[in-house]
Amino acid sequence: MTLWNGVLPFYPQPRHAAGFSVPLLIVILVFLALAASFLLILPGIRGHSRWFWLVRVLLSLFIGAETVALHFSAAWSVGRVSTNTSYKAFSTARVQAHIGLHVGLDGVNITLTGTPVQQLNETIDYNEFFTWRFGENYAAKYAEALEKGLPDPVLYLAEKFTPSSPCGLHRQYRLAGHYAKAMLWMAFCLWIISNALLSMPVPLYGGLGLLITGAFELFSVFAFATISTVPLCPLHLGSSALTTHYGAAFWITLATGILCLLLGGAVVSLHYARPRALRIFLDQSVEHYGSQAKGSSPLVLKNPLHKQFETSDLTISTNL
């Protein structure tokens, strides 16, 4: 048995790739399992309705998965720079490295990867996450990083997001992430309701539910976009400056919100313009019953008691 059981005392946690999140992975796997289950039963659906249900279900699952998964993504605001910078405090040693900044709704993820990874007789590959969730202390996380003796670039960027930093990034990003998460959870609840309504004979309310879902998706984007009101805080690392921009999570949420608005608007418009076409589109059985009615012969029912009461034959004709 080795000292510390083979674990470095100043770095006890395993390192993961930037943006890696166990909750994010769980959400993706759950929705992929739902999609796979639907694909297994898809061959049992007959006719052209098979492709209709394929598009409808997969599109709905995409909206739901995106709404939940992006809660745990660290790609709302990102920045990356390659520079030659100091490595440790009280040392003149410098390293060539890629430095990444990934801001999510729950905190900030900072990466430092050497180019090459092996420099100064050690592996330069760090990935640190500092959270600002309500109920957790960002300053305490930063103090732990100081005790670990993390590299200067990581501590420099983490310090910019501390509550005491003159940049003011902590309060703005924290509130923006909090309200964006609240809007996304509301969108997810409305997504569930709209799916239930579209499965009932009330497509108008399902379309309105999609419209409101898209609106809350856009509200989350606007809530996070309020960080642009913060005065630009320069982030200098060595001879280079790190600048941030909106990441993939931001743009995917924006696109999903617009998609929900388009789908909801189409459902509401068809409800008033062509309600029968909307019913056929949402429920393929309407078309099936309609085709049966056109080709069937009338059903004739005769009254067996007409002789007893000496009345004429009563014939009822109806089209099935």
Side-chain angles (χ1 to χ4, degrees), residues 146-171:
L146 289 174
E147 293 177 2
K148 286 182 182 179
L150 294 182
D152 273 358
V154 176
L155 295 175
Y156 172 77
L157 292 177
E159 188 274 334
K160 294 294 183 179
F161 289 88
T162 55
S164 58
S165 174
C167 291
L169 298 177
H170 176 82
R171 181 176 181 275

Side-chain angles (χ1 to χ4, degrees), residues 17 19 27-29 36 39 50 56 59 75 126 133 138 150 172 177 183 199 201 207 223 241 257 279 295 316:
V27 170
I28 294 175
L29 290 178
L39 292 176
R50 175 185 305 171
R56 178 178 175 179
L59 192 60
Y126 292 85
R133 297 188 188 96
Y138 183 95
L150 294 182
Q172 192 71 16
M183 296 298 103
S199 301
R279 287 196 299 271
I316 302 175

Side-chain angles (χ1 to χ4, degrees), residues 128-152:
E128 297 294 329
F129 183 73
F130 301 87
T131 179
W132 50 57
R133 297 188 188 96
F134 284 96
E136 298 190 20
N137 193 338
Y138 183 95
K141 298 288 184 182
Y142 177 69
E144 292 177 7
L146 289 174
E147 293 177 2
K148 286 182 182 179
L150 294 182
D152 273 358

Side-chain angles (χ1 to χ4, degrees), residues 78-253:
V78 297
R80 190 173 181 86
V81 67
S82 180
T83 184
N84 185 278
T85 180
S86 61
Y87 182 55
K88 292 284 188 177
F90 309 109
S91 173
T92 58
R94 302 180 71 85
V95 294
Q96 185 72 27
H98 292 297
I99 302 171
L101 180 66
H102 310 266
V103 182
L105 303 182
D106 288 329
V108 57
N109 183 224
I110 303 171
T111 61
L112 174 68
T113 306
T115 51
V117 176
Q118 296 292 335
Q119 296 183 54
L120 304 179
N121 295 323
E122 63 176 287
T123 301
I124 302 176
D125 186 12
Y126 292 85
N127 180 20
E128 297 294 329
F129 183 73
F130 301 87
T131 179
W132 50 57
R133 297 188 188 96
F134 284 96
E136 298 190 20
N137 193 338
Y138 183 95
K141 298 288 184 182
Y142 177 69
E144 292 177 7
L146 289 174
E147 293 177 2
K148 286 182 182 179
L150 294 182
D152 273 358
V154 176
L155 295 175
Y156 172 77
L157 292 177
E159 188 274 334
K160 294 294 183 179
F161 289 88
T162 55
S164 58
S165 174
C167 291
L169 298 177
H170 176 82
R171 181 176 181 275
Q172 192 71 16
Y173 272 95
R174 186 189 186 196
L175 290 177
H178 175 70
Y179 287 115
K181 288 189 67 173
M183 296 298 103
L184 284 176
W185 281 123
M186 283 295 300
F188 178 69
C189 295
L190 289 166
W191 169 78
I192 295 176
I193 296 174
S194 63
N195 275 278
L197 292 174
L198 288 173
S199 301
M200 301 177 183
V202 283
L204 173 62
Y205 299 108
L208 293 176
L210 278 176
L211 286 175
I212 303 175
T213 300
F216 275 100
E217 293 267 0
L218 295 181
F219 289 158
S220 68
V221 170
F222 297 149
F224 190 80
T226 56
I227 60 175
S228 59
T229 61
V230 179
L232 182 62
C233 186
L235 303 175
H236 294 291
L237 295 161
S239 58
S240 304
L242 188 148
T243 58
T244 60
H245 57 275
Y246 294 129
F250 180 90
W251 297 114
I252 291 175
T253 305

Side-chain angles (χ1 to χ4, degrees), residues 270 274-281 286-287 290 294:
L270 285 174
R274 301 188 62 184
R276 177 173 175 78
L278 178 62
R279 287 196 299 271
I280 294 175
F281 181 74
V286 175
E287 183 179 6
K294 291 179 181 178

